[in-house]
Structures are given as C-alpha cells and as structure tokens.
Amino acid sequence: MPAPAVRVVGSGPLAVVVESVMSYKRSVARLRYTFCRRHPHIDIELLLNWNERRRAAQLELSTSIGGGCYEVEIPHATVRRPRNNGEEPMGRWLTLTDGERALALVNDGPGGVEVTGGVVRQTLVRSATYCSGNDAVEPGYQGEHMD
C-alpha cells in the first residue's frame, strides 16, 4: 500500500481538519480527522470507494490503554467483553478504559469490532462473495460508503 497523502484542509480557533487519502488495490479511502483544540475529542469521517472481493476494510486505533474488558452497546443493553477474543458484534458505541484514561468509539456504520490489547479494530465494510447465496448476484458492499 502506498504512503497516504496527508494535508491540512482547515484550521481555525476551534479545530484543525486533516485529510488523508490512501488506496488499496482497486479501492480508495478518504479520511478526515477533526481535532478539537479545547476538547479531547477527534471526529473521523470516512468516504470509502470499496471495490475488493473477499476482503474486509477495518479502521485500526492503537492506544496505550490497558485493562481486561471493554464495553459495547448491543440491542437494548450493554455488555462487557474480554479483550483478545476475536471480532464481536457492536452497536453504536464502544468504551475502553483502564480506570484513568478512556476511549469512546461512536459509530453510525455496521458493527463489528475486535479489541486486542490496546488496539481497537472496527470493521467498516466486508465484501462477502455473494450476499444472498445466489451465484448470479454480484459481491456485496461494492462501491461508495460514507461513515
């Protein structure tokens, strides 16, 4: 994968916006990071043109947050899950904490997450061979996605 092109696309008294454009085989991703100046808050906006077969795209966030469990939203409840347990379903949010520091991941896309040590990997899109099991159907989740 070639090195991403990174540039500052906006800077003001409240925030700085940095854009990164990267490619993988036949796919292109544009990530915009908004760093708030006065708050410990980062927004990540993704525009993904996904053209891969039998592949998944994941967002990886590396942290130094230790601890044994993480918590996620599930339908009508929350659940604490052990780390290092592979990919698990996730609702709209995840929290990872060690008692002193915390990371909250709020999501409006599909939900699958893996937490290994302090690394959080969220599945953004998955291109199954055939979504319906019918060989006449094109592979799923091809094309443009925005989260």
Side-chain angles (χ1 to χ4, degrees), residues 7-84:
R7 65 189 179 115
V8 175
V9 294
S11 181
L14 300 178
V16 174
V17 180
V18 177
E19 182 178 85
S20 173
V21 178
M22 58 192 81
S23 62
Y24 173 78
K25 295 187 179 183
R26 299 178 306 143
S27 300
V28 177
R30 184 199 74 200
L31 289 122
R32 281 198 174 168
Y33 303 89
T34 302
F35 298 93
C36 299
R37 292 191 188 271
R38 295 189 181 101
H39 303 285
H41 177 94
I42 302 170
D43 277 336
I44 302 172
E45 177 187 288
L46 167 71
L47 178 61
L48 175 64
N49 190 344
W50 189 245
N51 296 299
E52 306 309 316
R53 293 175 183 242
R54 299 183 192 152
R55 298 277 187 265
Q58 293 183 320
L59 175 66
E60 181 176 295
L61 303 170
S62 297
T63 75
S64 59
I65 299 174
C69 292
Y70 64 100
E71 189 170 1
V72 295
E73 179 196 45
I74 60 171
H76 311 292
T78 65
V79 65
R80 291 180 58 81
R81 294 194 170 128
R83 297 182 196 204
N84 308 321

Side-chain angles (χ1 to χ4, degrees), residues 58-72 81-88 90 94-98 101 103-105 112-123:
Q58 293 183 320
L59 175 66
E60 181 176 295
L61 303 170
S62 297
T63 75
S64 59
I65 299 174
C69 292
Y70 64 100
E71 189 170 1
V72 295
R81 294 194 170 128
R83 297 182 196 204
N84 308 321
N85 204 33
E87 187 173 28
E88 300 272 1
M90 178 183 111
L94 165 143
T95 59
L96 181 66
T97 184
D98 62 6
R101 299 167 298 159
L103 169 75
L105 175 63
V113 69
E114 176 182 352
V115 180
T116 305
V119 177
V120 177
R121 286 182 196 87
Q122 181 190 3
T123 299

